[in-house]
Amino acid sequence: MRIGIGYDIHRYAEGRPLVLGGVHFPEETGLSGHSDADAVLHAIIDALLGAAGLGDIGRHFPPDDPAYAGADSRVLLRRAQEMISEMGYRVENVDVTVIAERPRLAPYIPQMVLAIAQALSLEPDCVNVKATTNEGIGAIGRGEGIAATAVALLTER
Ligand code: MG
């Protein structure tokens, strides 16, 4: 068994669509970033790559590479899963915490779980997404951005 941890944070940016966990949030302020800025999927990708000893998201999907401009992070997540699979590992489960003052994420968690499970070819019960606010503390508490942490467990096939 191998475990990995991931973390990501993106600032809000006016005029960008908000995408979290592969789900679009219409009418919400989006996040700045080279790709779709999906901090949730980026944290999961780092957890998966970390568990496999494959470095981090920046190594495999460099932010200055035009190929990833506006990229759908679900595609990057699937690519990370494929790399892990090629190494002979399978993903057992993924657990995520999203930290945001807004929007209220609870109603969208089932959709995020399904989108993540689909990208990873996992059953939905292998994916868990939690959301919390930062209780008004610090940059996230002031509503400057959204952060996510994730852990992933791999086993040898
Ligand atoms: Mg990111």
Side-chain angles (χ1 to χ4, degrees):
M1 287 187 287
R2 300 181 63 118
I3 192 167
I5 185 171
Y7 171 80
D8 196 25
I9 186 166
H10 284 255
R11 286 180 184 278
Y12 284 110
E14 292 295 336
R16 298 246 319 166
L18 180 62
V19 187
L20 284 177
V23 175
H24 283 256
F25 290 72
E27 300 179 19
E28 294 290 343
T29 303
L31 301 170
S32 69
H34 181 63
S35 66
D36 63 6
D38 190 330
V40 173
L41 297 194
H42 294 179
I44 295 171
I45 291 167
D46 260 357
L48 292 169
L49 294 174
L54 288 173
D56 64 20
I57 188 169
R59 178 167 132 196
H60 297 277
F61 312 109
D64 55 357
D65 186 333
Y68 303 116
D72 181 339
S73 294
R74 290 175 302 180
V75 175
L76 310 186
L77 180 60
R78 178 163 287 277
R79 181 65 200 123
Q81 189 273 331
E82 285 165 358
M83 285 188 262
I84 284 158
S85 185
E86 284 159 17
M87 289 178 73
Y89 294 112
R90 57 174 259 173
V91 182
E92 287 296 326
N93 77 301
V94 170
D95 185 28
V96 191
T97 299
V98 194
I99 310 152
E101 298 297 313
R102 62 184 165 85
R104 208 174 95 75
L105 297 174
Y108 298 91
I109 283 178
Q111 272 174 269
M112 286 196 244
V113 166
L114 283 178
I116 295 161
Q118 196 170 39
L120 291 173
S121 301
L122 287 176
E123 293 299 322
D125 67 356
C126 299
V127 176
N128 193 75
V129 177
K130 309 177 297 298
T132 184
T133 70
N134 220 31
E135 291 287 332
I137 298 165
I140 293 175
R142 289 190 296 272
E144 294 178 19
I146 292 179
T149 63
V151 290
L153 186 73
L154 310 182
T155 51
E156 244 173 298
R157 278 184 296 149

